[in-house]
């Protein structure tokens, strides 16, 4: 009976009794095989799937500047009903200024106390109402003669019958005036079935511009971030933030590129722009906010500068035509890193950050292998020379890696780093994880895997047929992702940074353009996919030394790293098979302590997480005992394991 009990305990802890049959993984802990790149795990980000507007950027009003659609005020509706009447329309004849070149005209023809009329916004798939929460509403308003308000600002149910929070402003004049008011909810039940309304209780005409509503933001930063979402990112302990894209950097046409200078300053100076993923960006999350975002995460910015190529094929000829774009990039670097006394550094200081940000890597463009004109080589040369001349310490990244033919790569100079992108099936990653980077020349450029992600199905991220599928990957995809991470970790002397893409998805109907994505959310809730958990596990158990680990006669993939200070070893094991996989861990060069921990992410390969079931697939922690060199550990089927082994 006692033996049966002990056997059960041992199996629960993942320890099996040494049997000669288990395939052996040998780990050499005597001398590190290399240094783990200090920036290995980071985040790739861009405006896609309503990642910022309707996502991380906490603004709750969709189409706040009325510029999203030139024909009608999208996401706005007239508020009227029994005993009240109103009509709304865009009015380019009453612009706020040259940047926000239109406004919303509200004609209230019938209204009285208790029968208000005006305009309402439906938010980003609802306005999230939370209990005991203070919101900040702001807007510009002006009125026709005879109308002075007051305007009631309210967060209310979709049908207007329930008011969750409201406040009044008065003193409208015939000139534009800013209004700012706090709205506080009481102990209401959370809901996103709500709207934001601006109404009056008497007939008259008024105009609205730049209508904004913010919930509490991360660290109360004005114009800041949604705390729950940012916390998910902070928990991943990313070491870098690659921004602003991705295709979002380039835009469909040159005029649609990310023009960083137009993303600075007060919101009334930011026109926003058409983004390549089928909707307009408010640019509320502009260059300054990207930098604060990186800082909140304790991560380094990896700045991608527009390099004269846009998605639909237009490009700027290298030479004099490209000079203004090169200058723009130099100005941008000065904005990020220059002293407060410099021209562009002064603007950053004025925004509230006198201290320069650290910037080591600048990426020139995005996926320039799509530029069939062959201009990238010389465009890169021009940017590279200008950046190096002014900022010799900056490492310049080319967007064409070794996965592309030599004819498409930069040949006239050797880039410091090349960016490789891999969107592959799980099988594709399992294959690549068996030595892709062993073949790379260690004397050549370093590698940044700036975008990667495994697919359960063939690669068809934009295919409308895939819209019925989950927006985030399943457990099987996480296996492909984890396998690929073992390859990048083992080779992190060469692969200095990597980031999954896309990072964020608003899962509301119609909000996404791509699948799968790492983190899903709606107006109220957020969850991590199995791949999110896998990346977080790997990134938070890393250390600084690569140890050589060799697996024989097993499909289990392995990567071993160590923290040189604590001497703690991290053994990552990935079992892509549908049967449990015992492996014998032979460790030389270190004395193991008998107990350690296992973090295990495993389950049905088809299983995934969702808004309704956010933790269906989540890591489980257990104690592992009986550890000694030669001990056998059983990796569960479809399992990802991080073993932390203590050494003496
Ligand atoms: O991650 C989505 C897109 O994939 C990126 O914008 C682009 O760089 C790549 O093609």
């Amino acid at each position: 009976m006692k033996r049966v009990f002990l056997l059960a305990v041992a199996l629960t802890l993942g320890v099996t009794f040494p049997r000669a049959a288990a395939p052996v993984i040998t780990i050499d802990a005597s001398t590190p095989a290399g240094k783990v790149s200090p920036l290995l795990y980071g985040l790739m980000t861009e405006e896609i799937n309503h990642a910022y507007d309707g996502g991380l950027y906490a603004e709750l009003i969709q189409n706040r500047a009325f510029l999203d659609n030139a024909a009608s005020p999208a996401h706005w509706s007239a508020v009227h009903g029994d005993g009240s009447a109103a009509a709304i329309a865009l009015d380019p004849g009453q612009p706020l200024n040259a940047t926000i070149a239109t406004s919303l005209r509200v004609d209230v023809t019938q209204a009285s106390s208790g029968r208000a009329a005006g305009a309402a916004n439906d938010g980003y798939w609802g306005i999230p109402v939370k209990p005991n929460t203070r919101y900040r509403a702001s807007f510009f308003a002006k009125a026709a003669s005879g109308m002075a308000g007051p305007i009631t600002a309210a967060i209310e149910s979709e049908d207007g019958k329930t008011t969750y929070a409201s406040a009044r402003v008065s003193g409208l004049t015939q000139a534009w005036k800013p209004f700012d008011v706090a709205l506080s909810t009481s102990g209401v039940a959370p809901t996103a079935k709500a709207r934001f309304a601006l109404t009056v209780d008497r007939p008259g005409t008024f105009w609205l511009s730049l209508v904004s509503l913010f919930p509490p933001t991360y660290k109360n930063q004005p114009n800041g971030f949604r705390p729950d979402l940012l916390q998910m990112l902070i928990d991943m302990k990313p070491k870098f933030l690659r921004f602003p894209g991705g295709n979002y950097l380039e835009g469909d046409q040159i005029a649609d590129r990310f023009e960083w200078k137009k993303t600075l300053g007060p919101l009334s100076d930011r026109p926003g722009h058409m983004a390549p993923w089928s909707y307009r960006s408010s640019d509320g999350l502009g260059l300054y906010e990207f930098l604060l975002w990186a800082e909140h995460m304790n991560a380094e910015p990896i700045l991608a500068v527009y390099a004269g190529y846009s998605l639909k094929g237009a490009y700027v000829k290298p030479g004099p035509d490209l000079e203004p774009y090169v200058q723009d990039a130099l100005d941008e670097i000065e904005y990020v890193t220059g002293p407060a006394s410099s021209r562009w550094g002064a603007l950053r200081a004025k925004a509230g950050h006198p201290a320069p940000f650290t910037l080591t890597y600048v990426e020139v463009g995005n996926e320039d292998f799509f530029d069939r004109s062959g201009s990238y080589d010389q465009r890169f040369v021009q940017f590279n020379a200008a950046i190096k001349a002014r900022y010799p310490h900056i490492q310049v990244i080319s967007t064409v890696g070794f996965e592309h033919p030599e004819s498409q790569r930069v040949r006239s100079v050797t880039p410091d780093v090349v960016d490789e992108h891999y969107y592959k099936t799980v099988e594709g990653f399992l294959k690549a994880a068996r030595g892709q980077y062993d073949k790379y020349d260690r004397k050549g450029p370093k590698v940044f895997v700036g975008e990667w992600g495994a697919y359960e199905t063939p690669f068809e991220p934009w295919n409308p047929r895939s819209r019925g599928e989950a927006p985030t990957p399943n457990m099987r995809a996480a296996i492909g992702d984890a396998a690929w991470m073992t390859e990048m970790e083992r080779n992190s002397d060469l692969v200095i940074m990597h980031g999954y893409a896309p990072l964020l998805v608003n899962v509301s109907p119609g909000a996404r353009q791509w699948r799968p994505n790492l983190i899903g959310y709606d107006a109220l809730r957020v969850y991590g996919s199995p791949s999110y958990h896998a990346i977080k596990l790997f990134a938070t158990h890393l250390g600084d030394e690569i140890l050589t680990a060799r697996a024989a006669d097993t499909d289990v993939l392995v990567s071993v790293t160590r923290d040189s200070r604590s001497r703690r070893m991290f053994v990552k094991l990935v079992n892509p098979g549908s049967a449990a996989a015992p492996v014998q861990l032979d460790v030389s060069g270190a004395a193991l302590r008998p107990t350690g921990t296992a973090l295990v992410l495993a389950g049905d390969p088809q299983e995934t997480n969702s808004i309704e079931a956010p933790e269906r697939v989540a890591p489980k922690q257990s104690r592992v005992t009986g550890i000694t060199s030669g001990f056998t550990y059983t990796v569960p089927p479809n399992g990802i394991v991080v073993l932390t082994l203590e050494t003496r």
Side-chain angles (χ1 to χ4, degrees), residues 79-81 84-86 106 108-111 115-119 198-201 206:
V79 174
H80 49 75
S84 68
V106 186
V108 175
T109 47
Q110 199 187 345
R115 291 196 162 83
L198 292 169
T199 56
V200 292
D201 60 3
F206 61 98

Side-chain angles (χ1 to χ4, degrees), residues 44 46-49 242 245-250 276-277 311 366-367 369-370 419 421 423 450-452 455 459 461-462 500-503 514 517:
M44 144 62 184
E46 67 175 318
E47 181 59 284
I48 183 173
N49 304 317
R242 174 183 173 224
N247 294 156
Y248 182 59
L249 168 73
E250 307 158 80
W277 296 106
L311 271 170
N366 178 61
E367 294 193 336
F369 47 85
F370 280 120
D419 183 355
H421 293 179
Y423 295 105
E451 295 178 25
W452 63 268
Y455 288 80
F459 179 69
W462 314 277
Y500 185 100
L503 179 66
W514 185 288
N517 309 282

Side-chain angles (χ1 to χ4, degrees), residues 544-626:
D544 55 344
E545 295 177 343
I546 309 166
L547 300 184
T548 304
R550 291 206 168 80
D553 304 324
T554 175
D555 287 339
V556 171
L557 294 123
V558 62
S559 155
V560 184
T561 53
R562 177 170 62 192
D563 183 306
S564 60
R565 271 187 292 178
S566 66
R567 310 301 290 169
R568 204 165 274 148
M569 281 167 50
F570 305 107
V571 180
K572 281 128 185 182
L573 301 164
V574 181
N575 177 9
S578 53
V583 285
Q584 180 181 316
L585 296 170
D586 284 2
V587 181
S588 62
L592 298 173
R593 289 188 185 274
T595 36
T597 53
L599 282 154
V600 179
L601 186 69
D604 179 341
Q606 302 311 319
E607 203 66 277
T608 189
N609 294 332
S610 66
I611 284 285
E612 304 304 336
E615 292 285 318
R616 192 173 275 148
V617 185
K620 293 189 178 52
Q621 180 166 340
S622 59
R623 226 158 70 92
V624 183
T625 56

Side-chain angles (χ1 to χ4, degrees), residues 327-407:
Q327 187 55 49
D328 217 45
L330 294 177
D331 293 347
E332 192 172 6
I333 298 171
E334 184 177 291
Y335 182 91
V336 178
T337 65
S341 54
S342 63
R343 178 175 172 210
W344 293 102
L347 265 193
R348 184 201 63 238
K350 193 172 157 215
H353 204 289
F357 290 89
T358 301
L359 183 71
T360 315
Y361 296 94
V362 169
E363 178 154 17
V364 176
N366 178 61
E367 294 193 336
D368 288 83
F369 47 85
F370 280 120
D371 174 9
R372 298 300 181 207
S373 75
S375 71
Y376 188 55
D377 181 69
Q378 286 307 306
R379 285 190 290 113
F380 182 88
V381 166
Q382 204 170 328
F383 274 90
N384 188 56
I387 294 170
K388 294 270 184 205
R390 183 118 169 248
Y391 301 100
H393 73 282
I394 284 187
Q395 300 284 291
V396 184
I397 305 172
S398 149
T399 69
V400 189
F402 293 101
E403 80 277 37
H404 295 288
E406 199 186 343
S407 57

Side-chain angles (χ1 to χ4, degrees), residues 251-558:
D252 275 350
Q253 305 295 347
I254 295 175
D256 303 326
R257 68 193 184 279
F258 181 81
E259 272 193 86
W260 67 273
K261 286 175 183 163
K262 292 186 177 170
T263 72
L264 304 178
L267 299 183
S268 53
D269 288 352
R270 303 188 196 190
H273 73 285
M274 188 59 205
W277 296 106
S278 78
Y279 59 94
R280 265 184 122 256
S281 164
S282 73
D283 288 337
L285 201 164
L287 177 59
Y288 182 65
E289 288 76 23
F290 275 114
L291 295 167
L292 294 187
W293 172 8
E295 190 166 75
H296 286 317
M297 301 190 302
N298 217 1
E300 241 192 66
I302 307 292
L303 181 68
V305 295
Y306 180 73
Y309 173 76
S310 289
L311 271 170
K312 296 266 156 92
Y315 70 99
V316 183
K317 265 207 257 147
D321 290 357
L322 196 61
E323 260 324 293
Y325 297 89
V326 174
Q327 187 55 49
D328 217 45
L330 294 177
D331 293 347
E332 192 172 6
I333 298 171
E334 184 177 291
Y335 182 91
V336 178
T337 65
S341 54
S342 63
R343 178 175 172 210
W344 293 102
L347 265 193
R348 184 201 63 238
K350 193 172 157 215
H353 204 289
F357 290 89
T358 301
L359 183 71
T360 315
Y361 296 94
V362 169
E363 178 154 17
V364 176
N366 178 61
E367 294 193 336
D368 288 83
F369 47 85
F370 280 120
D371 174 9
R372 298 300 181 207
S373 75
S375 71
Y376 188 55
D377 181 69
Q378 286 307 306
R379 285 190 290 113
F380 182 88
V381 166
Q382 204 170 328
F383 274 90
N384 188 56
I387 294 170
K388 294 270 184 205
R390 183 118 169 248
Y391 301 100
H393 73 282
I394 284 187
Q395 300 284 291
V396 184
I397 305 172
S398 149
T399 69
V400 189
F402 293 101
E403 80 277 37
H404 295 288
E406 199 186 343
S407 57
Q408 289 174 12
R409 289 184 228 144
V410 171
R411 300 170 307 283
S412 301
V413 287
T414 305
D416 298 313
V417 183
V418 295
D419 183 355
E420 301 190 341
H421 293 179
Y422 294 108
Y423 295 105
K424 283 178 186 281
T425 59
V426 174
E427 298 311 316
F429 271 130
L430 289 174
K431 189 161 169 239
R434 296 182 196 285
Q436 164 167 322
Y437 284 119
D438 295 348
K439 303 180 201 95
Y440 275 51
D441 178 4
R442 261 41 193 184
K443 295 201 187 77
K446 299 285 186 195
V447 174
F448 171 27
V449 186
E451 295 178 25
W452 63 268
Y455 288 80
E456 316 89 330
T457 51
F459 179 69
E460 48 172 14
W462 314 277
N463 189 333
R465 276 180 296 133
S466 74
R467 295 205 173 193
E469 295 174 8
T472 49
N474 64 17
M475 184 59 214
R476 180 71 186 153
I479 292 285
D481 291 331
W484 179 233
M485 286 190 287
T486 64
E487 177 68 12
M488 293 190 283
E489 276 194 5
R490 275 198 310 272
N491 290 281
S492 68
D493 58 316
L494 171 82
V495 178
I496 54 169
M497 301 179 284
H498 69 78
Y500 185 100
L503 179 66
L504 298 169
V505 62
N506 187 318
V507 301
S508 307
R512 81 158 191 254
Q513 292 77 46
W514 185 288
R515 78 165 300 278
N517 309 282
L518 202 63
I519 297 171
Y521 47 88
D522 64 9
L524 276 175
R525 298 161 294 179
V526 57
Y527 73 94
S529 62
S531 297
Y532 168 82
H533 289 297
I535 295 172
K536 187 171 143 192
L537 284 181
F538 275 44
T540 53
H541 297 83
L542 190 59
D544 55 344
E545 295 177 343
I546 309 166
L547 300 184
T548 304
R550 291 206 168 80
D553 304 324
T554 175
D555 287 339
V556 171
L557 294 123
V558 62

